[in-house]
Amino acid sequence: MYYEIHGLAAADAPVLVLSSGLGGSANFWQSQLPALTKKYCVLIYDHLGTGRSPAELAHDYSIASMASELIALLDELHIAKCHIIGHALGGLVALHIAASSPERVISMVLVNAWSSPNPHTTRCFNIRLAILDNCSHSVYLQTQALILYPPDWIVGNIQTLEKEEQHLLANFPDKTNLLARINALSQFNIDDKLASLTVNTLVIANKDDILVPWQRSQWLADSLPHATLVLFDYGGHACSVTTPTDFNNTLLKHLETF
C-alpha cells in the first residue's frame, strides 16, 4: 500500500495513524498534518484498491480485510502500538482493530463513524450507487460533495472544490473496487462487541452531518466503556476539512492526555 510518514520519527514520538473514509485517500488529512507533525509521527496511507494503492479487491472484501491490511502495514514499518484516527469508514477499521488486536491501539478517534447499519445512511449509499450506475463520474463527485460539506462551505470554497473534483475525476476509482468498499461498510456491525472494547476512545460528530446521524456517535460513546463524545453544531460529514482548527484542537487535547 502507498503510505507517507510525516513529522517525528516513530522511535522518538507516538505514532498517529490517520485512516480515511470511503475515498481512501491519504490526501484527505492535509489540513491535519501541520498541527500533528510537531509532536507526533503521523502515518497516512491510501487504502488498498484506491488511489496510489492499486489492487483488485476480493468479492468477499470486508472491514476485516481493511483492518488486516493496516496491521500488515504497521508490521512492515515495525510499529507495535499507535493511536488510530478514523473518519467514517476509517473509523470502522479502527473499531475492528480495537476488537481484534487491542494491544496495538493506544487510543482511537472515531469521526462521524458508526457501529452498525442504519436506515438513513443505507438510503444515502443506495442513492450514490444508483448515481454511479446511471450518471457520469462528474455527477457522482458533485453528489459526493453535497454529502461531505455544508452548503455555505461549498459556496465559499467552490474554486478549490472544483479543482479537487477535476483531480478526482482524472483518478476516478475502479468501479468494482468502489462497490466492494461500499458493500463492506454497509455490512459492518460490531454492536455486540462494543461493551468489551476497553480502548480509550474519542468520538467526534457533527449535528449537520447529512450522511451519518449524530445519534450514531452518541450510541458509540454510550456503548464503549471508555469513550468521550465531542459534538459540533457545524462542519458536515468532513469536519476535518471544513473546520480544521476546531477539529485539530479537539484531537490534540485528546492526544495530550497520554
Side-chain angles (χ1 to χ4, degrees):
M1 288 194 298
Y2 176 86
Y3 68 89
E4 299 174 8
I5 295 178
H6 297 267
L8 304 182
D12 302 324
V15 177
L16 312 181
V17 175
L18 277 54
S19 185
S20 305
L22 179 60
S25 174
N27 290 337
F28 179 78
W29 301 102
Q30 291 304 308
S31 297
Q32 279 60 64
L33 294 181
L36 298 180
T37 52
K38 297 173 183 177
K39 294 184 178 180
Y40 300 98
C41 172
V42 181
L43 170 64
I44 56 177
Y45 68 104
D46 286 357
H47 291 204
L48 200 66
T50 74
R52 295 154 290 188
S53 298
E56 292 184 12
L57 302 180
H59 71 280
D60 59 347
Y61 196 63
S62 66
I63 298 298
S65 305
M66 300 179 205
S68 296
E69 291 157 6
L70 179 53
I71 289 292
L73 178 59
L74 294 175
D75 287 344
E76 176 186 336
L77 298 173
H78 306 290
I79 297 172
K81 296 174 73 70
C82 62
H83 299 271
I84 304 180
I85 296 97
H87 173 252
L89 178 150
L92 312 192
V93 174
L95 280 165
H96 191 280
I97 294 177
S100 61
S101 304
E103 72 282 358
R104 306 298 296 265
V105 188
I106 303 170
S107 80
M108 59 179 170
V109 181
L110 309 175
V111 186
N112 290 321
W114 60 92
S115 57
S116 60
N118 73 83
H120 172 77
T121 304
T122 298
R123 286 189 171 209
C124 289
F125 278 111
N126 286 341
I127 292 169
R128 294 176 77 173
L129 289 171
I131 292 172
L132 183 64
D133 278 337
N134 297 287
C135 300
S136 68
H137 292 168
S138 177
V139 170
Y140 178 87
L141 291 173
Q142 290 182 55
T143 304
Q144 177 174 277
L146 298 179
I147 291 172
L148 289 175
Y149 311 121
D152 64 319
W153 189 91
I154 291 176
V155 171
N157 296 271
I158 190 62
Q159 292 182 338
T160 300
L161 181 57
E162 288 178 344
K163 183 179 180 180
E164 175 66 12
E165 287 175 347
Q166 288 302 311
H167 171 75
L168 293 173
L169 190 60
N171 299 275
F172 199 82
D174 176 82
K175 182 178 178 180
T176 301
N177 284 354
L178 184 54
L179 291 174
R181 286 170 61 78
I182 292 176
N183 184 62
L185 66 82
S186 298
Q187 294 187 1
F188 182 76
N189 189 330
I190 201 170
D191 278 349
D192 62 344
K193 296 182 180 179
L194 292 179
S196 65
L197 303 188
T198 58
V199 173
N200 189 295
T201 304
L202 172 64
V203 182
I204 297 176
N206 294 78
K207 286 187 176 180
D208 62 343
D209 182 351
I210 68 167
L211 177 62
V212 184
W214 65 266
Q215 290 86 353
R216 302 310 300 157
S217 291
Q218 181 72 68
W219 167 258
L220 280 169
D222 290 344
S223 302
L224 292 165
H226 304 290
T228 301
L229 173 67
V230 173
L231 182 60
F232 292 115
D233 289 327
Y234 177 82
H237 186 61
C239 61
S240 57
V241 175
T242 59
T243 57
T245 300
D246 289 343
F247 179 87
N248 293 345
N249 288 341
T250 300
L251 186 54
L252 288 169
K253 184 178 179 180
H254 162 75
L255 293 170
E256 286 167 359
T257 62
F258 295 91

